mmCIF file of all heavy atoms in Angstrom:
data_model
loop_
_atom_site.group_PDB
_atom_site.id
_atom_site.type_symbol
_atom_site.label_atom_id
_atom_site.label_comp_id
_atom_site.label_asym_id
_atom_site.label_seq_id
_atom_site.Cartn_x
_atom_site.Cartn_y
_atom_site.Cartn_z
ATOM 1 N N TRP B 416 47.025 -1.307 -12.985
ATOM 2 C CA TRP B 416 47.330 -0.955 -11.591
ATOM 3 C C TRP B 416 47.179 0.557 -11.422
ATOM 4 O O TRP B 416 47.626 1.324 -12.264
ATOM 5 C CB TRP B 416 48.770 -1.332 -11.236
ATOM 6 C CG TRP B 416 48.981 -2.793 -10.989
ATOM 7 C CD1 TRP B 416 49.539 -3.702 -11.825
ATOM 8 C CD2 TRP B 416 48.659 -3.500 -9.778
ATOM 9 N NE1 TRP B 416 49.582 -4.933 -11.233
ATOM 10 C CE2 TRP B 416 49.054 -4.843 -9.976
ATOM 11 C CE3 TRP B 416 48.070 -3.137 -8.558
ATOM 12 C CZ2 TRP B 416 48.871 -5.820 -8.995
ATOM 13 C CZ3 TRP B 416 47.892 -4.109 -7.587
ATOM 14 C CH2 TRP B 416 48.289 -5.440 -7.798
ATOM 15 N N ILE B 417 46.551 0.958 -10.331
ATOM 16 C CA ILE B 417 46.448 2.393 -10.025
ATOM 17 C C ILE B 417 46.884 2.601 -8.575
ATOM 18 O O ILE B 417 46.492 1.833 -7.681
ATOM 19 C CB ILE B 417 44.999 2.900 -10.242
ATOM 20 C CG1 ILE B 417 44.702 2.922 -11.745
ATOM 21 C CG2 ILE B 417 44.798 4.293 -9.630
ATOM 22 C CD1 ILE B 417 43.377 3.519 -12.121
ATOM 23 N N ASP B 418 47.712 3.624 -8.338
ATOM 24 C CA ASP B 418 48.177 3.919 -6.985
ATOM 25 C C ASP B 418 47.043 4.510 -6.149
ATOM 26 O O ASP B 418 46.333 5.407 -6.612
ATOM 27 C CB ASP B 418 49.333 4.930 -7.019
ATOM 28 C CG ASP B 418 50.607 4.285 -7.537
ATOM 29 O OD1 ASP B 418 50.649 3.035 -7.605
ATOM 30 O OD2 ASP B 418 51.554 5.023 -7.882
ATOM 31 N N VAL B 419 46.892 4.004 -4.938
ATOM 32 C CA VAL B 419 45.905 4.546 -3.996
ATOM 33 C C VAL B 419 46.509 4.485 -2.588
ATOM 34 O O VAL B 419 47.383 3.659 -2.326
ATOM 35 C CB VAL B 419 44.580 3.717 -3.970
ATOM 36 C CG1 VAL B 419 43.739 3.979 -5.192
ATOM 37 C CG2 VAL B 419 44.849 2.229 -3.814
ATOM 38 N N ASP B 420 46.064 5.358 -1.706
ATOM 39 C CA ASP B 420 46.454 5.187 -0.303
ATOM 40 C C ASP B 420 45.228 5.065 0.597
ATOM 41 O O ASP B 420 45.341 4.997 1.816
ATOM 42 C CB ASP B 420 47.403 6.294 0.176
ATOM 43 C CG ASP B 420 46.803 7.686 0.053
ATOM 44 O OD1 ASP B 420 45.587 7.790 -0.250
ATOM 45 O OD2 ASP B 420 47.541 8.669 0.239
ATOM 46 N N GLU B 421 44.057 5.054 -0.031
ATOM 47 C CA GLU B 421 42.831 4.816 0.730
ATOM 48 C C GLU B 421 41.771 4.282 -0.226
ATOM 49 O O GLU B 421 41.651 4.783 -1.354
ATOM 50 C CB GLU B 421 42.353 6.126 1.371
ATOM 51 C CG GLU B 421 41.126 5.961 2.236
ATOM 52 C CD GLU B 421 40.844 7.209 3.084
ATOM 53 O OE1 GLU B 421 41.806 7.885 3.483
ATOM 54 O OE2 GLU B 421 39.676 7.489 3.314
ATOM 55 N N VAL B 422 41.049 3.266 0.228
ATOM 56 C CA VAL B 422 39.975 2.694 -0.577
ATOM 57 C C VAL B 422 38.726 2.614 0.280
ATOM 58 O O VAL B 422 38.777 2.145 1.424
ATOM 59 C CB VAL B 422 40.346 1.276 -1.088
ATOM 60 C CG1 VAL B 422 39.163 0.643 -1.806
ATOM 61 C CG2 VAL B 422 41.571 1.327 -1.987
ATOM 62 N N VAL B 423 37.609 3.119 -0.235
ATOM 63 C CA VAL B 423 36.349 3.044 0.492
ATOM 64 C C VAL B 423 35.421 2.119 -0.292
ATOM 65 O O VAL B 423 35.128 2.372 -1.463
ATOM 66 C CB VAL B 423 35.724 4.451 0.661
ATOM 67 C CG1 VAL B 423 34.384 4.348 1.390
ATOM 68 C CG2 VAL B 423 36.674 5.380 1.417
ATOM 69 N N VAL B 424 35.021 1.044 0.363
ATOM 70 C CA VAL B 424 34.199 0.036 -0.305
ATOM 71 C C VAL B 424 32.731 0.370 -0.071
ATOM 72 O O VAL B 424 32.267 0.403 1.066
ATOM 73 C CB VAL B 424 34.529 -1.376 0.223
ATOM 74 C CG1 VAL B 424 33.712 -2.426 -0.521
ATOM 75 C CG2 VAL B 424 36.024 -1.656 0.089
ATOM 76 N N SER B 425 32.013 0.641 -1.174
ATOM 77 C CA SER B 425 30.627 1.073 -1.065
ATOM 78 C C SER B 425 29.777 0.255 -2.021
ATOM 79 O O SER B 425 29.196 0.771 -2.970
ATOM 80 C CB SER B 425 30.558 2.571 -1.386
ATOM 81 O OG SER B 425 29.272 3.053 -1.150
ATOM 82 N N VAL B 426 29.770 -1.053 -1.793
ATOM 83 C CA VAL B 426 29.068 -1.954 -2.708
ATOM 84 C C VAL B 426 27.803 -2.520 -2.067
ATOM 85 O O VAL B 426 27.404 -3.646 -2.326
ATOM 86 C CB VAL B 426 29.998 -3.102 -3.185
ATOM 87 C CG1 VAL B 426 31.132 -2.541 -4.021
ATOM 88 C CG2 VAL B 426 30.565 -3.902 -2.003
ATOM 89 N N GLY B 427 27.169 -1.708 -1.241
ATOM 90 C CA GLY B 427 25.878 -2.117 -0.691
ATOM 91 C C GLY B 427 25.963 -2.577 0.751
ATOM 92 O O GLY B 427 27.033 -2.729 1.327
ATOM 93 N N VAL B 428 24.782 -2.735 1.325
ATOM 94 C CA VAL B 428 24.668 -3.133 2.723
ATOM 95 C C VAL B 428 23.682 -4.293 2.838
ATOM 96 O O VAL B 428 22.875 -4.510 1.946
ATOM 97 C CB VAL B 428 24.172 -1.958 3.603
ATOM 98 C CG1 VAL B 428 25.267 -0.946 3.843
ATOM 99 C CG2 VAL B 428 22.952 -1.289 2.984
ATOM 100 N N SER B 429 23.801 -5.013 3.932
ATOM 101 C CA SER B 429 22.851 -6.094 4.223
ATOM 102 C C SER B 429 22.142 -5.777 5.534
ATOM 103 O O SER B 429 22.652 -5.010 6.335
ATOM 104 C CB SER B 429 23.597 -7.415 4.373
ATOM 105 O OG SER B 429 24.280 -7.718 3.178
ATOM 106 N N PRO B 430 20.967 -6.397 5.734
ATOM 107 C CA PRO B 430 20.246 -6.136 6.979
ATOM 108 C C PRO B 430 21.061 -6.579 8.190
ATOM 109 O O PRO B 430 21.691 -7.631 8.161
ATOM 110 C CB PRO B 430 18.980 -6.974 6.852
ATOM 111 C CG PRO B 430 18.845 -7.220 5.400
ATOM 112 C CD PRO B 430 20.229 -7.277 4.841
ATOM 113 N N ASN B 431 21.045 -5.782 9.239
ATOM 114 C CA ASN B 431 21.701 -6.162 10.473
ATOM 115 C C ASN B 431 20.936 -7.339 11.088
ATOM 116 O O ASN B 431 19.728 -7.250 11.288
ATOM 117 C CB ASN B 431 21.706 -4.973 11.431
ATOM 118 C CG ASN B 431 22.643 -5.195 12.587
ATOM 119 O OD1 ASN B 431 22.631 -6.247 13.223
ATOM 120 N ND2 ASN B 431 23.466 -4.211 12.859
ATOM 121 N N PRO B 432 21.638 -8.435 11.402
ATOM 122 C CA PRO B 432 20.931 -9.648 11.871
ATOM 123 C C PRO B 432 20.481 -9.581 13.328
ATOM 124 O O PRO B 432 19.817 -10.486 13.807
ATOM 125 C CB PRO B 432 21.981 -10.753 11.700
ATOM 126 C CG PRO B 432 23.298 -10.059 11.752
ATOM 127 C CD PRO B 432 23.082 -8.663 11.237
ATOM 128 N N LEU B 433 20.804 -8.496 14.011
ATOM 129 C CA LEU B 433 20.532 -8.434 15.449
ATOM 130 C C LEU B 433 19.064 -8.663 15.806
ATOM 131 O O LEU B 433 18.739 -9.502 16.640
ATOM 132 C CB LEU B 433 20.975 -7.069 15.984
ATOM 133 C CG LEU B 433 21.230 -7.054 17.467
ATOM 134 C CD1 LEU B 433 22.554 -7.706 17.780
ATOM 135 C CD2 LEU B 433 21.224 -5.630 17.972
ATOM 136 N N ILE B 434 18.161 -7.915 15.171
ATOM 137 C CA ILE B 434 16.740 -8.040 15.505
ATOM 138 C C ILE B 434 16.192 -9.384 15.036
ATOM 139 O O ILE B 434 15.624 -10.140 15.823
ATOM 140 C CB ILE B 434 15.925 -6.893 14.868
ATOM 141 C CG1 ILE B 434 16.339 -5.563 15.476
ATOM 142 C CG2 ILE B 434 14.430 -7.125 15.029
ATOM 143 C CD1 ILE B 434 15.975 -5.388 16.908
ATOM 144 N N PRO B 435 16.394 -9.695 13.745
ATOM 145 C CA PRO B 435 15.887 -10.983 13.285
ATOM 146 C C PRO B 435 16.334 -12.149 14.170
ATOM 147 O O PRO B 435 15.578 -13.079 14.411
ATOM 148 C CB PRO B 435 16.473 -11.114 11.878
ATOM 149 C CG PRO B 435 16.629 -9.704 11.418
ATOM 150 C CD PRO B 435 16.977 -8.908 12.648
ATOM 151 N N SER B 436 17.557 -12.071 14.721
ATOM 152 C CA SER B 436 18.033 -13.217 15.491
ATOM 153 C C SER B 436 17.540 -13.189 16.933
ATOM 154 O O SER B 436 17.661 -14.184 17.635
ATOM 155 C CB SER B 436 19.560 -13.268 15.460
ATOM 156 O OG SER B 436 20.088 -12.145 16.136
ATOM 157 N N THR B 437 17.002 -12.072 17.407
ATOM 158 C CA THR B 437 16.595 -12.043 18.817
ATOM 159 C C THR B 437 15.082 -11.954 19.004
ATOM 160 O O THR B 437 14.604 -11.995 20.123
ATOM 161 C CB THR B 437 17.263 -10.874 19.575
ATOM 162 O OG1 THR B 437 17.010 -9.661 18.886
ATOM 163 C CG2 THR B 437 18.757 -11.075 19.689
ATOM 164 N N PHE B 438 14.324 -11.799 17.913
ATOM 165 C CA PHE B 438 12.869 -11.860 18.017
ATOM 166 C C PHE B 438 12.473 -13.288 17.629
ATOM 167 O O PHE B 438 12.415 -13.605 16.439
ATOM 168 C CB PHE B 438 12.194 -10.849 17.077
ATOM 169 C CG PHE B 438 12.103 -9.457 17.640
ATOM 170 C CD1 PHE B 438 13.213 -8.834 18.181
ATOM 171 C CD2 PHE B 438 10.899 -8.757 17.616
ATOM 172 C CE1 PHE B 438 13.131 -7.545 18.691
ATOM 173 C CE2 PHE B 438 10.804 -7.464 18.122
ATOM 174 C CZ PHE B 438 11.924 -6.862 18.665
ATOM 175 N N LYS B 439 12.230 -14.105 18.636
ATOM 176 C CA LYS B 439 11.943 -15.524 18.351
ATOM 177 C C LYS B 439 10.659 -15.663 17.545
ATOM 178 O O LYS B 439 9.636 -15.100 17.898
ATOM 179 C CB LYS B 439 11.843 -16.307 19.659
ATOM 180 C CG LYS B 439 13.209 -16.658 20.192
ATOM 181 C CD LYS B 439 13.096 -17.540 21.438
ATOM 182 C CE LYS B 439 14.317 -17.343 22.310
ATOM 183 N NZ LYS B 439 14.202 -16.185 23.232
ATOM 184 N N GLY B 440 10.746 -16.439 16.472
ATOM 185 C CA GLY B 440 9.554 -16.723 15.693
ATOM 186 C C GLY B 440 9.339 -15.790 14.517
ATOM 187 O O GLY B 440 8.393 -15.952 13.756
ATOM 188 N N LEU B 441 10.235 -14.835 14.351
ATOM 189 C CA LEU B 441 10.092 -13.891 13.244
ATOM 190 C C LEU B 441 10.534 -14.550 11.934
ATOM 191 O O LEU B 441 11.608 -15.154 11.874
ATOM 192 C CB LEU B 441 10.976 -12.673 13.534
ATOM 193 C CG LEU B 441 10.667 -11.347 12.848
ATOM 194 C CD1 LEU B 441 9.255 -10.905 13.180
ATOM 195 C CD2 LEU B 441 11.662 -10.295 13.324
#
Side-chain angles (χ1 to χ4, degrees):
Chain B
W416 283 103
I417 289 186
D418 287 346
V419 285
D420 59 9
E421 183 168 327
V422 174
V423 178
V424 182
S425 187
V426 295
V428 285
S429 300
N431 193 312
L433 202 77
I434 295 292
S436 66
T437 54
F438 277 50
K439 279 185 207 85
L441 202 58

